[in-house]
Amino acid sequence: MSGGCGCDSPGMMAYEQALDQLLDAATSAEESGQPVIQVTLAQALGRILAEDQHSAVDVPPNDNSAMDGYALHIDSLGSDAVSQLVISQRVPAGADPEPLKPGTAARIFTGAKIPEGANVVVKQEDCETTTSEGNPLTINGESAVQLPSIQEKGQNIRLLGQDIRQGEVIMPAGTRLQPQHLGVLASVGIGELSVYRPLKVAILSTGDELIEPGLTLAPGQIYNSNRYTLTGMINGLGMEMVDLGIVADTPEATDEALSRAAKEADVVISSGGVSVGEEDHVKASVEKLGSLNLWRIAIKPGKPFAYGEVQGKPFLGLPGNPAAVLVSFNILARPFLLKMQGATELMPISYRAPVMLTRKAQGRKEFMRARLTSKDGKPCIEPFSNQSSGVLSSAVWANGYAIIPANTAVTEGDEVDFVPFSEVMN
Ligand code: AMP
Ligand code: MG
């Protein structure tokens, strides 16, 4: 299948169009009826919420002190610069205090519940409880405290519900749970929750030249790196990997691996073998077992990309070159998988910064492996010197992608989009 690109690369499809088509084709977890499982909060990191989460409580559950100090009612303060009050109770965190005796102060600590009748906390650094001779301050033999009379009502008090109100939706379905989400869920007392079962993602590494790391290279062989890049990506997304290992460049081996993958997984991803050479069997095999669209996408690296279906399961055919695998997974496969998994946030955040690059317009949108650094205290993007799709070490040097739009000349200092790897590597 080909598509108008609206660019100067005839027969190629623009990235945005490919992404739209791919995301349209992805069935969301809700549509596909992806099973929902119950997990404890401790098991929930990286999972996608299957239901909106409501709070059954107010957070904090009562007014409490933001400081170690003295709680009192502002009307107890006199007209002199300094007031002196009897200390009528002691309220540590976790205690349930008595109502405040009018005209007195309560010794209070951070996080402790404010006694009924108090409306200000004076921090202990502003208070005196001893005289200049070192004797305890007292009023009629009772312990007392001296403090400045000018205070602001409500000062140093954290109000009930200031964080979360009872009944509020704290997180919608589709949220991908990060550490801060777990903290908030814990803060409202949720110990167990419904999330989507992790997707099972099958990976095939095609190529007769591949051997596994740890073995000795024979002439003509290379190590299988895509398998490990993709394993890291799938694990980082919290999905389950179904690893079919290295698949030989024969129609039989390709057919067999693809049908096994389709049987065991929710989605099938291959690397390599989608070009149109006679050693590329993925295309024919997918067409035999399902259906395939072979796209030439106007991106660099990663131009050949296949999308289709094998025995009813979605199929994504990534290129073979290691840097192209990284890029096409990040910008195409990742949002596709996240949608299938039930997430609502699919795309990474990007930032704009000046790039250290001057060049003529090119027909394809380029995802350059680049480093965001600073120059004279200002952010600046430095592309790696070798952007070949075979040079994966570019991505170890880099910390993100500089995105150069198609058909756009660039002069050093122009601002371009930058996507940090931290946005797409998990
Ligand atoms: P292909 O699309 O199968 O022609 O592969 C394109 C290039 O990527 C070739 O140079 C392959 O050797 C290389 N390649 C394919 N698969 C892998 C892999 N799993 N690990 C490392 N390089 C690969
Ligand atoms: Mg190959």
Side-chain angles (χ1 to χ4, degrees):
M1 185 166 141
S2 68
C5 167
C7 64
D8 294 341
S9 306
M12 286 201 208
M13 193 191 288
Y15 166 64
E16 291 71 17
Q17 190 187 344
L19 180 66
D20 277 356
Q21 286 200 25
L22 205 57
L23 291 180
D24 274 351
T27 31
S28 70
E30 205 181 356
E31 290 162 351
S32 69
Q34 176 73 1
V36 169
I37 54 173
Q38 288 285 114
V39 292
T40 65
L41 200 49
Q43 300 165 325
L45 183 66
R47 302 268 170 266
I48 311 284
L49 279 181
E51 291 167 357
D52 292 352
Q53 300 294 313
H54 297 82
S55 178
V57 295
D58 289 306
V59 181
N62 37 250
D63 294 353
N64 70 88
S65 180
M67 291 281 176
D68 291 341
Y70 295 84
L72 47 106
H73 194 283
I74 199 149
D75 292 349
S76 316
L77 299 169
S79 50
D80 295 343
V82 170
S83 299
Q84 190 164 314
L85 299 174
V86 163
I87 302 170
S88 55
Q89 63 175 318
R90 189 172 185 278
V91 194
D96 190 11
E98 301 281 300
L100 186 70
K101 229 190 257 168
T104 71
R107 176 71 169 122
I108 198 161
F109 299 89
T110 304
K113 186 174 170 189
I114 302 290
E116 197 187 309
N119 63 7
V120 59
V121 169
V122 182
K123 63 174 191 280
Q124 71 184 29
E125 294 88 324
D126 294 345
C127 302
E128 301 278 356
T129 52
T130 49
T131 64
S132 51
E133 289 80 48
N135 305 318
L137 281 175
T138 56
I139 299 176
N140 300 329
E142 290 194 77
S143 292
V145 59
Q146 236 177 35
L147 42 87
S149 297
I150 297 189
Q151 300 293 342
E152 207 177 305
K153 198 168 146 188
Q155 170 187 288
N156 298 325
I157 294 178
R158 303 191 287 218
L159 293 177
L160 175 150
Q162 73 165 20
D163 186 354
I164 293 164
R165 300 304 312 215
Q166 184 178 8
E168 196 180 305
V169 173
I170 48 170
M171 274 163 230
T175 302
R176 202 164 158 223
L177 299 173
Q178 305 289 299
Q180 66 273 32
H181 298 100
L182 302 189
V184 167
L185 289 162
S187 77
V188 303
I190 292 175
E192 221 180 62
L193 60 171
S194 300
V195 299
Y196 289 111
R197 171 176 67 63
L199 273 186
K200 292 182 191 153
V201 185
I203 299 291
L204 287 68
S205 313
T206 75
D208 279 341
E209 72 279 34
L210 303 177
I211 66 158
E212 286 300 312
L215 303 176
T216 306
L217 276 184
Q221 292 185 320
I222 62 165
Y223 288 118
N224 180 4
S225 60
N226 292 342
R227 181 184 188 185
Y228 298 89
T229 306
L230 293 171
T231 303
M233 296 287 194
I234 309 259
N235 288 338
L237 286 168
M239 298 170 185
E240 201 180 300
M241 169 104 169
V242 179
D243 189 353
L244 288 131
I246 295 170
V247 180
D249 288 324
T250 66
E252 298 74 29
T254 312
D255 286 358
E256 199 202 308
L258 281 171
S259 13
R260 229 188 91 202
K263 215 168 284 146
E264 292 179 20
D266 301 310
V267 48
V268 180
I269 297 184
S270 66
S271 84
V274 288
S275 310
V276 286
E278 55 216 57
E279 296 295 334
D280 296 316
H281 300 285
V282 172
K283 180 173 179 282
S285 199
V286 174
E287 273 167 347
K288 190 160 100 192
L289 300 169
S291 62
L292 183 87
N293 297 312
L294 191 56
W295 291 340
R296 291 173 68 238
I297 306 175
I299 54 172
K300 195 175 169 213
K303 177 178 61 177
F305 186 90
Y307 169 70
E309 155 272 305
V310 176
Q311 293 167 345
K313 301 288 174 64
F315 167 80
L316 305 179
L318 308 185
N321 278 303
V325 164
L326 189 85
V327 171
S328 56
F329 187 92
N330 282 165
I331 68 171
L332 291 164
R334 183 179 181 276
F336 183 89
L337 293 174
L338 281 172
K339 182 171 173 192
M340 283 188 73
Q341 183 69 88
T344 41
E345 286 269 327
L346 307 179
M347 300 310 291
I349 289 174
S350 62
Y351 305 89
R352 285 183 77 76
V355 66
M356 291 162 72
L357 177 75
T358 297
R359 68 168 205 194
K360 286 197 246 158
Q362 304 199 357
R364 293 191 271 162
K365 182 171 189 148
E366 186 159 359
F367 295 81
M368 298 183 106
R369 277 73 66 216
R371 195 183 265 184
L372 181 67
T373 55
S374 82
K375 202 172 152 193
D376 305 326
K378 299 217 171 77
C380 144
I381 303 166
E382 188 182 347
F384 188 67
S385 55
N386 187 340
Q387 295 289 328
S388 158
S389 61
V391 176
L392 187 57
S393 54
S394 60
V396 170
W397 180 88
N399 57 17
Y401 295 117
I403 303 173
I404 314 294
N407 311 311
T408 308
V410 181
T411 305
E412 178 149 345
D414 287 354
E415 286 200 343
V416 299
D417 286 333
F418 181 84
V419 174
F421 282 155
S422 54
E423 280 289 313
V424 285
M425 296 293 178
N426 59 36

